Amino acid sequence: MGIKSYVGRRAKPTKGTDQQIKVSDYMTTNLIKFKTDQSVLDVMNTLIKKRISGGPVVNDKNELVGIISEGDCMKQISVSRYYNQPMKDIKVSDHMATDVETIDGNMNVFDAAELFLKSKRRRFPILEDGKLVGQISQKDVLKAALQLKGRSWR
């Protein structure tokens, strides 16, 4: 009696189905952006009101200078309480992440999904000629996958 394989038959890949599915097709372009001189308290209020987990920080030329997230704000809450500092005096520039990884808007959305898995990041900004033009989140990739399921997945 031999061992049976329970691996199902694999569908042949359809040529070109995912070649043109770019990050730029699914990225968010209407971004909530922050400035370096904003207070962390202002950022916290915006994150809660807009139901987002973070956002890009830009200068006056719309160039990306960092990202601030819920985690950055949480760290500040702890520090402020310990040192008894008023939150309204703490600026974004002091607590944003400045080592920001960006991705190309022409990248395939499935390659972006792999980057999300490897990096453990929640969002990637997209730059064009040094300017912030959009952002793709894990949720945007999930939306893309759901839309594509009807066209190319079996």
Side-chain angles (χ1 to χ4, degrees):
M1 189 160 155
I3 298 174
K4 291 184 180 181
S5 172
Y6 291 99
V7 176
R9 187 171 61 90
R10 295 176 193 235
K12 292 181 183 174
T14 309
K15 284 191 175 183
T17 54
D18 63 329
Q19 296 305 314
Q20 65 276 25
I21 302 165
K22 298 188 292 187
V23 163
S24 60
D25 296 332
Y26 292 95
M27 70 183 184
T28 302
T29 56
N30 186 17
L31 297 175
I32 296 166
K33 301 177 237 177
F34 300 103
K35 297 286 189 178
T36 55
D37 60 347
Q38 275 183 276
S39 74
V40 171
L41 190 60
D42 183 37
V43 170
M44 290 167 50
N45 280 319
T46 302
L47 295 180
I48 291 166
K49 279 184 195 169
K50 301 294 184 177
R51 297 179 183 212
I52 58 174
S53 61
V57 182
V58 296
N59 63 18
D60 292 334
K61 297 177 185 174
N62 201 42
E63 297 167 328
L64 183 70
V65 295
I67 288 208
I68 190 148
S69 68
E70 290 171 322
D72 299 320
C73 294
M74 293 290 287
K75 289 175 199 167
Q76 186 49 48
I77 291 169
S78 179
V79 169
S80 291
R81 183 171 179 206
Y82 183 79
Y83 291 108
N84 197 24
Q85 292 176 314
M87 289 288 289
K88 64 180 172 48
D89 296 339
I90 309 300
K91 301 295 177 202
V92 168
S93 58
D94 298 327
H95 297 285
M96 65 184 187
T98 56
D99 184 21
V100 180
E101 190 175 350
T102 64
I103 61 174
D104 188 330
N106 292 316
M107 176 183 278
N108 183 299
V109 77
F110 295 113
D111 293 334
E114 284 185 43
L115 276 178
F116 276 115
L117 289 171
K118 288 178 185 173
S119 71
K120 306 274 193 247
R121 296 195 190 281
R122 295 176 79 168
R123 68 191 65 78
F124 285 107
I126 293 102
L127 304 179
E128 209 171 274
D129 298 322
K131 310 285 185 201
L132 181 67
V133 294
Q135 175 175 277
I136 192 154
S137 68
Q138 291 180 0
K139 193 174 290 184
D140 295 325
V141 173
L142 293 177
K143 287 177 188 175
L146 287 175
Q147 288 178 356
L148 294 171
K149 182 178 184 282
R151 289 189 285 159
S152 61
W153 294 353
R154 297 188 191 273

